[in-house]
Amino acid sequence: MTEAGAESLAEMLDERQHLLGIALSMFGSDTTADHVVQETYRRWYALDEEERAAIAVPRAWLTRTAGSICLELVADPAPDPDPDHVPGGRVTRAQPVPYPASHQAGYGPEMRAGHERVARRFAAACQAGDTEALREVLAADAIVVSDGGGKVRVAVRPTHGADAVARVVTALLIDQPGTEPAIGSVNGRTGLVLRRAGKAVAVVSVSVAGAEVTAVWIILNPDKLQRWR
C-alpha cells in the first residue's frame, strides 16, 4: 500500500470512528451505533456522483446525516415490523436497540452518572437563560444539529465551536418567550424538553465527554414530537 493509500485508509477509519462515536454517545449501544453508521453511508452512496461532488465537506455532510438518523431513532424508538429490509433489499433505517441494552459496552453506572451531571448543567443553563454558563459547559469543538424535517425553518448544517453552538442553542431554546424548558428523559437519559402552552416544541439530547457537552441534538419537527405531547 502506498503512503497516500495508507493516509486515505487512516482518514476513512477516523471518519467511521467519528460517526460511531456520535451514535454511541447517543445510545450507548454498539449495535445501534453500527446500524446508524451503515445507514449514514447507505444514504451517501444513494447520492449520484454529481450530488456527491457538489458536497464541499463530506465529513460535515456525514455528521449531519448521522445526527439526523439518531434524531429519527430518538423520536421513534419502536422498530418497524421489518426494519432492516424493503423490496430490493436496501436498508432504510437503523434498527434501534431498547435502552438500556444488555450488550452495551463501556457505558456503566459511572458513565451514566457523569452524563447526567453534565446534561443537568446544560439543562440548568438553558432553564436560567444563562448563555455564559451554557458556553462553559460546551467543549471547544462542540457541534449542534437540529432537525426541522421541513416543517420548521432551522439551520440544516451542523454548527461547530462552543461560541457558535451557544448562539444557536440560545436562539432556538433560550430566546423564545412563552416556552418552559424542563429536564426530562430523552431515550432513557437526561435531556431537555421545551413546551409552549403545554405542548412540546423541542426535545434536546446531548453527547458528553468528561465534564463537557460535545454535541447537542435538537428535535424541532412537530411530527417527531408527538410522543412527548
Side-chain angles (χ1 to χ4, degrees), residues 112-201:
R112 293 180 193 277
H115 180 279
E116 180 163 351
R117 284 194 297 270
V118 178
R120 285 185 176 275
R121 281 182 58 203
F122 172 88
C126 291
Q127 287 179 309
D130 190 338
T131 302
E132 185 58 36
L134 177 64
R135 189 178 291 109
E136 289 177 358
V137 78
L138 292 168
D141 58 350
I143 67 169
V144 59
V145 178
S146 55
D147 175 24
K151 298 296 184 71
V152 294
R153 188 161 57 89
V154 294
V156 296
R157 295 181 178 178
T159 299
H160 299 261
D163 289 340
V165 170
R167 287 195 296 270
V168 171
V169 171
T170 296
L172 290 180
L173 307 181
I174 294 178
D175 292 342
Q176 297 294 328
T179 59
E180 300 175 357
I183 295 174
S185 176
V186 180
N187 197 46
R189 290 194 289 175
T190 300
L192 191 68
V193 180
L194 275 76
R195 289 184 171 85
R196 179 180 292 124
K199 292 185 177 181
V201 294

Side-chain angles (χ1 to χ4, degrees), residues 21 26-27 36 56 86 120 125 144 167 175 192 205 217:
M26 284 284 285
F27 297 103
V36 169
V86 293
R120 285 185 176 275
V144 59
R167 287 195 296 270
D175 292 342
L192 191 68
S205 180
W217 314 97

Side-chain angles (χ1 to χ4, degrees), residues 12-152:
M12 287 189 293
L13 291 174
D14 176 71
E15 177 182 272
R16 177 175 171 78
Q17 190 60 42
H18 167 70
L19 298 176
L20 282 170
I22 290 173
L24 188 59
S25 64
M26 284 284 285
F27 297 103
S29 164
D30 291 332
T31 301
T32 302
D34 190 60
H35 276 296
V36 169
V37 173
Q38 288 184 40
E39 174 64 5
T40 300
Y41 283 119
R42 186 200 67 77
R43 295 186 187 185
W44 169 262
Y45 287 111
L47 302 173
D48 60 36
E49 291 185 6
E50 185 176 345
E51 289 173 322
R52 288 198 296 271
I55 297 173
V57 185
R59 185 177 176 121
W61 186 95
L62 292 166
T63 297
R64 176 179 65 82
T65 301
S68 296
I69 294 167
C70 287
L71 291 175
E72 290 169 10
L73 296 184
V74 170
D76 183 18
D80 292 334
D82 185 15
D84 289 330
H85 298 88
V86 293
R90 290 179 16 169
V91 177
T92 56
R93 56 167 289 178
Q95 182 178 1
V97 175
Y99 187 95
S102 59
H103 55 267
Q104 289 173 356
Y107 204 82
E110 290 186 6
M111 290 188 67
R112 293 180 193 277
H115 180 279
E116 180 163 351
R117 284 194 297 270
V118 178
R120 285 185 176 275
R121 281 182 58 203
F122 172 88
C126 291
Q127 287 179 309
D130 190 338
T131 302
E132 185 58 36
L134 177 64
R135 189 178 291 109
E136 289 177 358
V137 78
L138 292 168
D141 58 350
I143 67 169
V144 59
V145 178
S146 55
D147 175 24
K151 298 296 184 71
V152 294

